Short mmCIF file of all heavy atoms in Angstrom, two decimals:
data_model
loop_
_atom_site.label_atom_id
_atom_site.label_comp_id
_atom_site.label_asym_id
_atom_site.label_seq_id
_atom_site.Cartn_x
_atom_site.Cartn_y
_atom_site.Cartn_z
N SER O 36 -59.49 -7.98 106.31
CA SER O 36 -58.69 -8.31 107.50
C SER O 36 -57.40 -8.95 107.07
O SER O 36 -57.42 -9.89 106.25
CB SER O 36 -59.48 -9.25 108.40
OG SER O 36 -58.67 -9.64 109.52
N ASN O 37 -56.31 -8.43 107.58
CA ASN O 37 -55.00 -9.01 107.38
C ASN O 37 -54.67 -9.28 105.87
O ASN O 37 -54.12 -10.32 105.53
CB ASN O 37 -54.87 -10.29 108.18
CG ASN O 37 -53.44 -10.63 108.54
OD1 ASN O 37 -52.59 -9.76 108.59
ND2 ASN O 37 -53.18 -11.88 108.78
N LEU O 89 -64.27 -5.50 123.19
CA LEU O 89 -62.93 -6.02 123.31
C LEU O 89 -62.19 -5.14 124.28
O LEU O 89 -62.03 -3.95 124.03
CB LEU O 89 -62.21 -6.03 121.95
CG LEU O 89 -62.91 -6.75 120.78
CD1 LEU O 89 -62.10 -6.58 119.52
CD2 LEU O 89 -63.11 -8.21 121.13
N THR O 123 -66.72 -9.76 113.40
CA THR O 123 -65.42 -9.18 113.05
C THR O 123 -64.44 -9.18 114.24
O THR O 123 -63.26 -8.91 114.03
CB THR O 123 -65.54 -7.75 112.51
OG1 THR O 123 -66.20 -6.93 113.47
CG2 THR O 123 -66.33 -7.75 111.21
N ALA O 124 -64.87 -9.47 115.47
CA ALA O 124 -64.02 -9.44 116.66
C ALA O 124 -62.73 -10.24 116.49
O ALA O 124 -61.64 -9.70 116.67
CB ALA O 124 -64.77 -9.92 117.89
N PRO O 125 -62.80 -11.51 116.06
CA PRO O 125 -61.55 -12.27 115.92
C PRO O 125 -60.61 -11.70 114.85
O PRO O 125 -59.38 -11.74 114.95
CB PRO O 125 -61.94 -13.70 115.64
CG PRO O 125 -63.37 -13.64 115.27
CD PRO O 125 -63.94 -12.38 115.83
N PHE O 126 -61.20 -11.14 113.80
CA PHE O 126 -60.43 -10.55 112.70
C PHE O 126 -59.70 -9.29 113.23
O PHE O 126 -58.51 -9.05 112.92
CB PHE O 126 -61.32 -10.22 111.52
CG PHE O 126 -61.92 -11.42 110.85
CD1 PHE O 126 -63.16 -11.83 111.16
CD2 PHE O 126 -61.17 -12.14 109.91
CE1 PHE O 126 -63.74 -12.96 110.55
CE2 PHE O 126 -61.72 -13.27 109.27
CZ PHE O 126 -63.02 -13.67 109.59
N ILE O 127 -60.37 -8.48 113.99
CA ILE O 127 -59.81 -7.26 114.53
C ILE O 127 -58.67 -7.60 115.51
O ILE O 127 -57.62 -6.98 115.49
CB ILE O 127 -60.92 -6.42 115.18
CG1 ILE O 127 -61.80 -5.83 114.11
CG2 ILE O 127 -60.30 -5.30 116.05
CD1 ILE O 127 -63.12 -5.23 114.61
N LEU O 128 -58.91 -8.60 116.36
CA LEU O 128 -57.84 -9.05 117.27
C LEU O 128 -56.60 -9.50 116.56
O LEU O 128 -55.48 -9.25 117.00
CB LEU O 128 -58.39 -10.12 118.21
CG LEU O 128 -59.49 -9.64 119.20
CD1 LEU O 128 -60.19 -10.84 119.80
CD2 LEU O 128 -58.88 -8.77 120.28
N THR O 129 -56.80 -10.16 115.42
CA THR O 129 -55.66 -10.60 114.57
C THR O 129 -54.94 -9.39 113.97
O THR O 129 -53.73 -9.31 114.03
CB THR O 129 -56.17 -11.55 113.47
OG1 THR O 129 -56.75 -12.69 114.11
CG2 THR O 129 -55.01 -12.02 112.58
N ASP O 130 -55.71 -8.48 113.39
CA ASP O 130 -55.11 -7.32 112.76
C ASP O 130 -54.34 -6.44 113.78
O ASP O 130 -53.28 -5.91 113.42
CB ASP O 130 -56.23 -6.43 112.16
CG ASP O 130 -56.74 -7.02 110.86
OD1 ASP O 130 -56.15 -7.99 110.33
OD2 ASP O 130 -57.80 -6.52 110.37
N LEU O 131 -54.84 -6.36 114.98
CA LEU O 131 -54.18 -5.53 116.00
C LEU O 131 -53.07 -6.27 116.76
O LEU O 131 -52.40 -5.72 117.61
CB LEU O 131 -55.20 -4.99 117.04
CG LEU O 131 -56.24 -4.06 116.50
CD1 LEU O 131 -57.25 -3.70 117.60
CD2 LEU O 131 -55.57 -2.81 115.95
N ARG O 132 -52.86 -7.55 116.38
CA ARG O 132 -51.84 -8.39 117.03
C ARG O 132 -51.99 -8.44 118.54
O ARG O 132 -51.11 -8.10 119.32
CB ARG O 132 -50.45 -7.90 116.58
CG ARG O 132 -50.20 -8.03 115.13
CD ARG O 132 -48.84 -7.63 114.62
NE ARG O 132 -47.84 -7.30 115.54
CZ ARG O 132 -47.35 -6.04 115.70
NH1 ARG O 132 -47.83 -5.05 114.97
NH2 ARG O 132 -46.41 -5.79 116.58
N VAL O 133 -53.19 -8.88 118.93
CA VAL O 133 -53.56 -8.98 120.34
C VAL O 133 -53.36 -10.41 120.82
O VAL O 133 -53.88 -11.36 120.19
CB VAL O 133 -55.01 -8.54 120.57
CG1 VAL O 133 -55.44 -8.70 122.04
CG2 VAL O 133 -55.25 -7.13 120.09
N CYS O 135 -54.43 -13.33 122.70
CA CYS O 135 -55.69 -13.77 123.23
C CYS O 135 -55.59 -15.08 123.99
O CYS O 135 -56.61 -15.72 124.32
CB CYS O 135 -56.68 -13.95 122.04
SG CYS O 135 -56.96 -12.45 121.08
N GLU O 145 -44.12 -9.52 119.56
CA GLU O 145 -44.91 -9.78 118.37
C GLU O 145 -46.40 -9.43 118.57
O GLU O 145 -47.11 -9.04 117.65
CB GLU O 145 -44.84 -11.27 117.97
CG GLU O 145 -43.48 -11.67 117.43
CD GLU O 145 -43.46 -13.13 117.06
OE1 GLU O 145 -44.41 -13.60 116.40
OE2 GLU O 145 -42.53 -13.83 117.46
N TYR O 146 -46.86 -9.59 119.81
CA TYR O 146 -48.24 -9.34 120.19
C TYR O 146 -48.23 -8.39 121.37
O TYR O 146 -48.35 -8.81 122.56
CB TYR O 146 -48.99 -10.64 120.52
CG TYR O 146 -49.03 -11.56 119.36
CD1 TYR O 146 -48.01 -12.51 119.15
CD2 TYR O 146 -49.99 -11.46 118.39
CE1 TYR O 146 -48.01 -13.34 118.04
CE2 TYR O 146 -50.04 -12.29 117.31
CZ TYR O 146 -49.03 -13.24 117.11
OH TYR O 146 -49.04 -14.04 116.04
N GLY O 161 -65.75 -18.26 115.65
CA GLY O 161 -64.54 -17.85 114.95
C GLY O 161 -63.40 -17.38 115.85
O GLY O 161 -62.35 -17.02 115.36
N MET O 162 -63.54 -17.41 117.17
CA MET O 162 -62.48 -16.90 118.03
C MET O 162 -61.22 -17.75 117.94
O MET O 162 -60.13 -17.27 118.31
CB MET O 162 -62.94 -16.80 119.48
CG MET O 162 -63.79 -15.57 119.76
SD MET O 162 -62.94 -14.00 119.39
CE MET O 162 -61.78 -13.89 120.72
N LEU O 163 -61.32 -18.97 117.43
CA LEU O 163 -60.11 -19.81 117.28
C LEU O 163 -59.07 -19.21 116.30
O LEU O 163 -57.94 -19.55 116.38
CB LEU O 163 -60.48 -21.21 116.88
CG LEU O 163 -61.05 -22.06 117.98
CD1 LEU O 163 -61.52 -23.42 117.45
CD2 LEU O 163 -60.11 -22.25 119.13
N ILE O 164 -59.50 -18.28 115.45
CA ILE O 164 -58.55 -17.63 114.59
C ILE O 164 -57.81 -16.46 115.27
O ILE O 164 -56.83 -15.97 114.77
CB ILE O 164 -59.17 -17.14 113.26
CG1 ILE O 164 -60.09 -15.94 113.50
CG2 ILE O 164 -59.86 -18.27 112.52
CD1 ILE O 164 -60.43 -15.18 112.21
N ALA O 165 -58.31 -16.04 116.41
CA ALA O 165 -57.65 -14.94 117.15
C ALA O 165 -56.35 -15.46 117.73
O ALA O 165 -56.27 -16.63 118.17
CB ALA O 165 -58.57 -14.45 118.27
N PRO O 166 -55.29 -14.65 117.72
CA PRO O 166 -53.96 -15.13 118.12
C PRO O 166 -53.92 -15.73 119.54
O PRO O 166 -54.25 -15.08 120.51
CB PRO O 166 -53.08 -13.87 118.06
CG PRO O 166 -53.81 -12.95 117.13
CD PRO O 166 -55.27 -13.27 117.32
N GLY O 167 -53.54 -17.00 119.60
CA GLY O 167 -53.39 -17.69 120.89
C GLY O 167 -54.64 -18.10 121.56
O GLY O 167 -54.62 -18.62 122.69
#
Side-chain angles (χ1 to χ4, degrees):
S36 178
N37 206 24
L89 304 177
T123 59
F126 294 97
I127 290 167
L128 292 165
T129 300
D130 286 348
L131 294 176
R132 297 182 5 249
V133 177
C135 301
E145 290 180 47
Y146 300 91
M162 281 302 286
L163 285 176
I164 70 165

